[in-house]
Amino acid sequence: MVNLTDVLNNLITASHILDYQNVLDAYGHVSARNPNDPSTFFMSRDLAPALVSSYSDMVEYHVADATPVDPNAPSGFLERDIHSSIYLQYSDVQSVIHSHSPDIVPYTINHVPFKPVHPLAGFIRTCALISHLMLASQSHRKCGKRLLTTPPAQNTPNWDEEIIYNSTDPKVMLVNSLKFGASLSSYFSTPSSTDPKATPDNVLVLMRGHGFTTAGTSIEEAVVQAVYSRINAEMLTTALTTNLAAGKKHGVKYLSAQEAKQAAAGPDKLTVERPWGLYSRQVAVTPLYQNFGNGTASGL
């Protein structure tokens, strides 16, 4: 049996890190599967991540339908179906993060491919997108609908909730039902599929006009993926901006598919210990962040 206090402490720390690293703000959330009961998962109550501070802020949910194990639990996030659906479909996933990062949202609504430009973002997978509006249904099955008419490109899977709205669905851009959660979860497979499997093909899925979701095999891995997804977007935006300043419309050089694959698996493989150690210390010495855990505020 795994000591759940370690899991909950790391989940509190992850909430603080993601705020400190500008991945989350008042919105967004991180969760962790229960290692002692994979049919449930933990995430905080409806609270800004920076303000999560104790085990009493944590709620345990059923993977099957995102309902709380304790019917008297405090109110939770509206979009917890994101987390439950991914845990339900992919048995190896142990942590999920959903972000509305303003660094990434532009790449969910424009023509610019969001692909890795740095080896530490080599985990970002791309797939063939057919972007022409007349092929929207085919595009949906493959990797995600694009809003504008562009030639076929390589891009990170981009889920668009508009595709699955029916006439009675409130068009509020929230993943607040099993239907929407299962659709988003399917984009972690290539081609998109709702079939259960152990490991997702993609660990990052963009969400049109909304943000992104990433899944990892540990809390630490998911956090570092989320941070470097945002950093990759920041680097890409800077490259595009400086290109325009120089009067160039093109010229951004992404990692090649081979570079990204080998960086993700080779010497530049994403390691979590070093960044996690740094990030944990940063939030431990910042007074805003309190992790009382078993009753003692860490780092204070």
Side-chain angles (χ1 to χ4, degrees):
M1 297 286 286
V2 174
N3 187 342
L4 289 181
T5 60
D6 292 337
V7 176
L8 297 180
N9 276 328
N10 281 351
L11 197 52
I12 295 170
T13 297
S15 295
H16 298 165
I17 289 170
L18 293 165
D19 176 84
Y20 187 91
Q21 294 291 331
N22 296 318
V23 176
L24 306 181
D25 49 19
Y27 298 94
H29 20 82
V30 53
S31 68
R33 192 191 293 269
N34 184 344
N36 296 331
D37 181 1
S39 71
T40 69
F41 67 99
F42 298 99
M43 64 189 304
S44 79
R45 62 187 176 93
D46 187 3
L47 187 66
L51 303 182
V52 176
S53 63
S54 70
Y55 300 159
S56 63
D57 291 326
M58 293 298 169
V59 179
E60 186 176 10
Y61 293 99
H62 295 289
V63 165
D65 58 7
T67 57
V69 173
D70 178 0
N72 297 314
S75 61
F77 292 107
L78 294 176
E79 293 193 295
R80 57 185 182 269
D81 289 288
I82 292 173
H83 303 255
S84 63
S85 296
I86 294 171
Y87 291 131
L88 186 63
Q89 186 170 353
Y90 306 102
S91 58
D92 285 349
V93 171
Q94 301 300 314
S95 184
V96 175
I97 295 167
H98 171 60
S99 166
H100 306 146
S101 170
D103 291 306
I104 288 183
V105 168
Y107 294 99
T108 74
I109 58 175
N110 64 21
H111 294 281
V112 181
F114 185 72
K115 300 195 294 182
V117 296
H118 188 278
L120 288 175
F123 60 87
I124 298 174
R125 296 287 184 265
T126 61
C127 59
L129 278 179
I130 300 177
S131 305
H132 198 288
L133 289 176
M134 66 185 295
L135 297 178
S137 60
Q138 181 179 356
S139 175
H140 168 59
R141 289 195 299 272
K142 287 183 175 294
C143 196
K145 175 184 171 184
R146 301 289 285 191
L147 296 179
L148 303 173
T149 302
T150 58
Q154 289 293 113
N155 203 350
T156 304
N158 189 13
W159 180 73
D160 189 347
E161 189 165 0
E162 183 183 28
I163 295 170
I164 59 170
Y165 283 142
N166 63 34
S167 59
T168 61
D169 286 326
K171 297 174 175 56
V172 291
M173 300 285 287
L174 290 174
V175 185
N176 56 0
S177 72
L178 292 173
K179 178 179 79 170
F180 293 130
S183 176
L184 171 63
S185 179
S186 74
Y187 275 52
F188 285 83
S189 292
T190 301
S192 59
S193 169
T194 57
D195 294 336
K197 60 194 304 185
T199 305
D201 300 313
N202 312 303
V203 298
L204 177 74
V205 172
L206 306 182
M207 302 166 68
R208 192 268 300 174
H210 190 152
F212 74 90
T213 297
T214 189
T217 58
S218 68
I219 295 172
E220 296 89 341
E221 182 181 72
V223 165
V224 175
Q225 285 172 183
V227 170
Y228 274 95
S229 295
R230 188 200 65 75
I231 290 173
N232 190 78
E234 189 175 51
M235 289 178 176
L236 179 54
T237 298
T238 300
L240 293 166
T241 303
T242 51
N243 258 356
L244 287 174
K248 300 179 182 295
K249 294 184 179 180
H250 305 286
V252 173
K253 188 172 179 62
Y254 298 94
L255 297 188
S256 68
Q258 186 177 33
E259 287 172 331
K261 181 178 180 180
Q262 293 187 5
D268 290 318
K269 183 180 185 298
L270 184 67
T271 55
V272 301
E273 293 84 1
R274 187 189 301 177
W276 178 263
L278 170 63
Y279 301 158
S280 298
R281 182 60 180 160
Q282 286 171 329
V283 298
V285 299
T286 303
L288 170 64
Y289 307 114
Q290 302 284 314
N291 186 347
F292 290 99
N294 60 7
T296 303
S298 63
L300 297 174

